[in-house]
């Protein structure tokens, strides 16, 4: 049945390529806000769903792209495992394909790895309608270029993902969240210092004078770290971290009401708070800064500040008009952009797959 | 040799004694760690600055001369094998650690820096660079990126690709590019991942920012003996299945322990059919907890003996044999051939059993030393190249193992790369469409095809010729490989 679905997509993509009809690839539609606006006939990936294989002792799960993320997480939880990159859902109905194509990781990312770090292999139908299989189900594989990771975060612009093999990890035996009252720069300094000392951090969030830190690991390690760090306990820690991951936390909810644009600044972890353009919610031990800015702000300025902090700025949430005007993602230096164009020309020469969503012209 | 005009243009952009073309000077560069393949390069270039690399590439690009990047030359698949009509571009003189940021836990290093030198320099801050190939005293970090190398600690800490933030390099046109940055992600396609394991085909790497990890306060190692190789294989799966991800999980079979024991005198249990080494690291409490769990799993998996390292000296002693396995095997056999397939862990018992049976069939001894936790096998086939037919039988045996790896859902190379060695096996692992993609990725970076041509990805013509497209059920054609 699924083979039929994939064959159907192949036919459809071949026809679309011949007719130069753009296709918009959609799973649960939960991340439609992310990336540049794209237009096209809908290609719904949810017809290709289901967990194909899951062997806990192998730490590997293989599932079709349209499989609901919630289903995968439940299946893993039942076996005491998890997706270590803690992906945001951003709404009910998020699918695995969307998670991989968007390449977004949650609070655990600096310690547990990113989506790209835990994807072992995938199948994809490219813009020629060809079904390609890259990587595999094993932990180590250096045969051929790493086209698997190339698809992670490509936002569907190189192909429609049909199936993914993921590395899973055991859920830490113990979790604890502690809170500290401090300034932003103290929070940045402390979290980096704790990481450098090998304390078992698994998430951090600083906002308006409060730093929350999650510790995860074997019980003795967590207990000892709590003793070392001090701080106060946090109620409903699980829902707190979910609110950070899903952006339902007050910082996000309040900002959304103003009509401002949400910027995601991915920067060097020790970059100071000042100089990035205002109040931030700080995650990832300092490496991720969320910032609301008026839609009228000069995007180049925000991007320049992020570049000075050795990173880059993404226009994460904003109106279609704002994202079209500034581009969602930081522009690339010319030689890198040229490589992007050639890769797009290889996988999707008719530019039918999620046209412009990553960069205008791709 | 290169033509005189080109030679003088190249030497003009290099410091004195950095342009070698006399046969006695280029001889050490004729091969890498896979000595079965040798080629005389037109010249060997030893630049010291990125500007010199840019100048060299511009000249070679214009003159259409192939360029083979080279690190320390420890590669095991012929990736740095010279091109007869080209130059070898050695990064050996890019040997400085440029900076270490202890708070951000990163180091900026030049590509010729030895893997171990990074950890040595970072030790002052209580940090280290996690991926630790057995060749770490010699191999370069640039080579590690180009091969996406692994090591004993990669089970818990990841491969090179998981531990590198930024790679700066020069395209064949002379354009300088940066993949990644100091942040945890970068905009656009993940070219940083693509350059890992690219075997020098996409860009010449000139600078790398690596991630450093805090050195765990304690590491302890469990040595477990088994009277049966398959039981040891099953114990590996049982440890992972129990929710434990040890810092290292390695296996040696009896032939390997006997070979290394003569070499390192570590006191390995020589009567055991297989030995597992399981490392735990962390705080003393964590380690004690994990070691107890590991011991319990090992016991119920049928271990006949369990030893726990009492101190750092003993831990290193346990590891000494594993680390010295290659040279030790080199002492008991005139030649050996290292296979590098990866398989799903569940297939370990089956694959080990077949290797044993084939060893008898081919009349070639085989020692197994490998990264069991990752399912990355390193069967070492012992042979004597001077004995008629042995080399050919060795190749046939090796090919059969790789075909089996593909058949059970694994891969032909876990960490040593394709180079020139596994070009034929690539035709078995991938279909024509995937191979065409790899070739297109190569030309997206290097349309002229001058960077390390003929490596890593076979031409479609080659695969068509051997008829080896996507072979299933282990029916890999034993086509004559060019190396013999
Ligand atoms: C005894 C022994 C044990 C080993 N153990 C392991 C192990 O445990 N794990 C493992 O993964 N490997 C192992 N290896 C293989 C080898 O050490 C690794 O592949 C290593 O990363 C190669 O590094 P190198 O500097 O020697 O690279 P080289 O052999 O010089 O080159 C390897 C490849 O990288 C390219 N390259 C090198 N430098 C650059 C650069 N600056 N820019 C672009 N391309 C470049 C070359 O063109 C070539 O294709 C072992 C080898 C030996 C001899």
């Amino acid at each position: 049945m699924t083979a039929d679905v994939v064959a159907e997509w192949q036919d459809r993509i071949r026809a679309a390529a011949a007719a130069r009809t753009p296709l918009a690839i959609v799973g649960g539609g939960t991340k439609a806000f992310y990336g540049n606006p794209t237009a096209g006939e809908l290609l719904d990936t949810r017809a290709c769903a289901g967990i194909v294989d899951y062997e806990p002792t192998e730490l590997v799960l293989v599932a079709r792209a349209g499989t609901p993320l919630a289903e995968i997480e439940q299946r893993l939880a039942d076996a005491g495992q998890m997706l270590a990159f803690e992906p945001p859902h951003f709404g009910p109905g998020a699918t695995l394909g969307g998670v991989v194509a968007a390449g977004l990781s949650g609070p655990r990312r600096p310690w547990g790895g990113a989506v790209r770090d835990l994807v072992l292999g995938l199948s994809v139908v490219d813009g020629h309608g060809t079904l390609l299989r890259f990587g595999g189900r094993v932990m180590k594989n250096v045969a051929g270029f790493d086209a698997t990771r190339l698809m992670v975060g490509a936002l569907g612009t190189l192909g429609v993902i049909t199936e993914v093999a993921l590395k899973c990890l055991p859920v830490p035996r113990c979790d604890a969240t502690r809170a500290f009252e401090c300034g932003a720069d103290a929070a940045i300094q402390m979290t980096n210092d704790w990481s450098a000392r090998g304390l078992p951090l698994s998430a951090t969030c600083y906002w308006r004078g409060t730093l929350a830190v999650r510790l995860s690991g074997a019980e003795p390690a967590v207990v000892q770290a709590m003793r070392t760090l001090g701080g106060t306990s946090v109620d409903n820690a699980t829902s707190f971290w979910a609110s950070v991951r899903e952006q339902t936390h007050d910082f996000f909810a309040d900002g959304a009401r103003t009509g401002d644009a949400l910027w995601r600044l991915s920067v060097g972890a020790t970059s100071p708070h000042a100089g990035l353009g205002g109040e931030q919610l700080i995650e990832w031990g300092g490496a991720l800064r969320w910032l609301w800015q008026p839609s009228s702000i000069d995007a180049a300025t925000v991007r320049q500040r992020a570049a000075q902090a050795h990173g880059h700025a993404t226009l994460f949430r904003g109106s279609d008009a704002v994202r079209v005007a500034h581009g969602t993602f930081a522009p690339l230096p010319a030689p890198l952009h040229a490589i992007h164009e050639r890769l797009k020309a290889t996988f999707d020469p008719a530019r039918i797959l999620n046209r412009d969503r990553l960069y205008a012209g791709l | 040799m290169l033509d005189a005009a080109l030679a003088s243009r190249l030497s003009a952009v290099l410091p004195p004694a950095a342009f070698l073309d006399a046969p006695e000077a280029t001889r050490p560069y004729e091969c890498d760690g896979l000595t079965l393949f040798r080629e005389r390069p037109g010249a060997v270039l030893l630049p010291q600055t990125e500007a010199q690399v840019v100048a060299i590439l511009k000249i070679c690009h214009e003159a259409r001369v192939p360029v083979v990047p080279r690190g320390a030359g420890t590669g095991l698949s012929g990736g740095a094998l010279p091109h007869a009509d080209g130059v070898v571009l050695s990064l050996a003189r890019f040997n400085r650690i440029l900076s270490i940021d202890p708070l951000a836990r990163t180091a900026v290093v030049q590509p010729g820096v030895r893997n171990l030198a990074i950890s040595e320099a970072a030790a002052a801050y209580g940090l280290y660079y996690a991926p630790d190939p057995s060749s770490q005293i010699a191999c370069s970090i640039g080579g590690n990126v180009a091969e996406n190398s692994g090591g004993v600690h990669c089970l818990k800490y990841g491969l090179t690709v998981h531990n590198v933030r930024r790679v700066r390099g020069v395209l064949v046109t002379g354009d300088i590019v940066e993949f990644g940055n100091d942040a945890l992600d970068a905009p656009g396609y993940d070219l940083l991942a693509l350059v890992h394991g690219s075997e020098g085909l996409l860009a010449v790497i000139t600078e790398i920012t690596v991630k450093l990890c805090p050195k765990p306060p304690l590491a302890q190692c469990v040595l477990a003996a088994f009277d049966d190789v398959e039981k040891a294989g099953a114990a590996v799966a049982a440890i992972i299945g129990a929710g434990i991800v040890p810092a290292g999980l390695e296996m040696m079979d009896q032939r390997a322990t006997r070979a290394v024991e003569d070499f390192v005198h570590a006191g390995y249990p020589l009567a055991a059919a297989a030995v597992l080494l399981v490392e735990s690291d962390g705080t003393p409490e964590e380690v004690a907890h994990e070691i107890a769990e590991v011991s319990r799993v090992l016991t119920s998996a049928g271990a006949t003996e369990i030893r726990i390292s009492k101190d750092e000296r003993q831990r290193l002693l346990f590891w000494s044999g594993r680390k010295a396995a290659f040279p030790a095997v080199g002492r008991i056999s005139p030649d050996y051939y290292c296979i590098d397939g990866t398989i799903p862990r569940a297939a370990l018992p089956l694959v080990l059993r077949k290797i044993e049976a084939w060893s008898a069939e081919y009349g070639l001894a085989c020692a197994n030393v490998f990264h069991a936790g990752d399912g990355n096998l390193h069967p070492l086939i012992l042979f004597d190249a001077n004995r008629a037919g042995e080399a050919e039988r060795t190749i046939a045996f090796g090919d059969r193992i790789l075909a089996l790896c593909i058949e059970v859902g694994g891969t032909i190379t876990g960490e040593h790369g394709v180079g020139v060695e596994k070009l034929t096996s690539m035709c078995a692992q991938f279909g024509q469409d995937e191979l065409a993609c790899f070739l297109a990725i190569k030309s997206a970076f290097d349309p002229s095809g001058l960077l390390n041509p003929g490596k890593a990805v076979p031409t479609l013509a080659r695969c068509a010729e051997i008829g080896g497209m996507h072979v299933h059920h282990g029916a890999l054609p034993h086509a004559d490989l060019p190396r013999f």
Side-chain angles (χ1 to χ4, degrees), chain A residues 220-267:
Chain A
V222 172
V223 169
Q224 201 197 10
M226 274 168 57
R227 229 177 280 138
T228 310
L229 298 187
T232 54
S233 65
V234 171
D235 294 337
N236 304 321
T238 306
S239 56
F240 170 77
W241 292 113
S243 77
V244 173
R245 187 187 68 223
E246 300 300 336
Q247 302 195 338
T248 53
H249 182 281
D250 285 348
F251 167 85
F252 297 103
D254 293 351
R257 281 189 282 272
T258 63
D260 285 357
L262 177 65
W263 285 85
R264 175 188 187 273
L265 276 57
S266 182
V267 296

Side-chain angles (χ1 to χ4, degrees), chain B residues 149-173:
Chain B
S149 299
V152 163
H153 285 99
C154 289
L155 178 61
K156 182 167 173 185
Y157 296 100
L159 306 164
T160 305
V161 69
H162 302 113
N163 287 277
V164 169
R165 291 275 167 77
R166 182 188 69 111
V167 166
R168 185 178 163 99
V170 187
L171 300 178
V172 73
T173 47

Side-chain angles (χ1 to χ4, degrees), chain B residues 69 71-75 79 91 134-135 140 143-144 146-147 149-150 199-200 205 415 452:
Chain B
T74 68
L91 281 302
S134 305
S135 51
S140 74
N144 290 174
E147 298 285 9
S149 299
E199 302 191 17
I205 298 162
E415 58 181 18
N452 214 4

Side-chain angles (χ1 to χ4, degrees), chain A residues 55-60 79-81 103 109-111 114 116-118 126 130-155 157-158 167 169-171 173 188-200 217-222 224 227 264 266-270 284-285 287-288 309-314 329-333 335-336 338-344 346-347 358-359 362, chain B residues 101-105 125-127 147-151 154-155 159 161-162 164 171 175-179 181-194 196-199 201-202 211 213-215 217 237-238 240-245 283-286 289 293 340 342-347 371 373-376 378 409-418 426 429-430 433-434 436-447 456-457 470:
Chain A
E55 195 49 69
T57 60
E58 292 291 322
L59 303 178
V60 176
Q81 295 187 350
R109 190 269 172 252
W111 303 277
R116 58 91 95 164
D117 293 321
L118 293 132
D126 71 7
T130 307
L131 178 64
L132 302 165
R133 290 170 223 275
F134 296 115
R137 299 174 178 208
V138 289
M139 300 295 146
K140 293 169 81 174
N141 186 357
V142 291
F145 295 123
D146 194 346
T148 304
R149 291 193 171 88
L150 186 61
M151 299 295 158
V152 180
L155 280 173
T157 57
L158 299 177
K167 177 176 179 180
L169 282 174
V171 175
R173 302 275 162 87
I188 293 165
Q189 168 78 29
M190 283 193 304
T191 47
N192 278 286
D193 186 48
W194 292 336
S195 286
R197 282 160 53 193
L199 289 157
E219 196 176 332
V222 172
Q224 201 197 10
R227 229 177 280 138
R264 175 188 187 273
S266 182
V267 296
T270 54
W284 292 8
L288 186 62
H310 308 284
H312 61 104
T314 304
F329 302 99
L332 301 168
L336 286 187
I339 293 173
H340 278 63
E341 283 177 335
R342 289 195 288 262
L343 288 171
K344 177 74 172 176
T346 292
F347 287 94
L358 190 65
Y359 285 104
L362 285 190
Chain B
D101 183 339
L103 187 61
R105 291 148 280 130
Y125 307 99
L127 301 169
E147 298 285 9
N148 190 17
S149 299
C154 289
L155 178 61
L159 306 164
V161 69
H162 302 113
V164 169
L171 300 178
D175 287 311
I176 294 170
V177 284
E178 297 217 356
F179 309 119
N181 49 40
D182 287 354
L184 293 178
D185 45 41
Y189 298 139
D190 196 341
L191 305 186
L192 180 63
L194 210 48
H196 279 84
S198 64
E199 302 191 17
L201 271 73
L202 303 185
K211 167 182 156 185
C213 295
K215 202 154 174 51
I240 303 290
I244 306 167
V245 181
T283 61
E285 295 84 353
E286 264 179 294
H289 184 80
E293 275 188 88
D340 174 42
T342 302
I343 56 171
R345 272 178 293 261
H371 310 300
D374 287 319
N376 186 190
H378 286 328
T411 175
I412 55 167
T413 172
E415 58 181 18
H416 295 165
V418 173
M426 283 290 283
Q429 178 155 342
F430 292 100
D433 294 327
E434 286 80 8
C437 275
F438 294 150
L439 293 167
I441 288 172
K442 160 72 172 162
S443 27
F445 284 74
D446 172 18
V457 186
H470 232 9

Side-chain angles (χ1 to χ4, degrees), chain B residues 187-271:
Chain B
Y189 298 139
D190 196 341
L191 305 186
L192 180 63
L194 210 48
V195 85
H196 279 84
S198 64
E199 302 191 17
L201 271 73
L202 303 185
V204 176
I205 298 162
T206 54
E207 198 177 291
I208 300 162
T209 302
V210 299
K211 167 182 156 185
L212 301 173
C213 295
K215 202 154 174 51
L218 181 68
Q220 238 179 331
C221 182
V222 182
L223 185 158
F226 288 84
D227 57 11
D228 177 83
V229 175
E230 286 184 42
K231 276 191 205 159
V236 170
I239 290 173
I240 303 290
I244 306 167
V245 181
L249 180 44
E250 301 279 311
M251 179 159 154
M252 284 189 280
D253 69 4
Q254 191 176 39
R255 193 176 305 278
T257 50
R258 289 195 172 167
V260 298
E261 184 58 26
D262 287 344
F263 197 57
V264 298
H265 309 292
Y268 288 125
L270 298 180

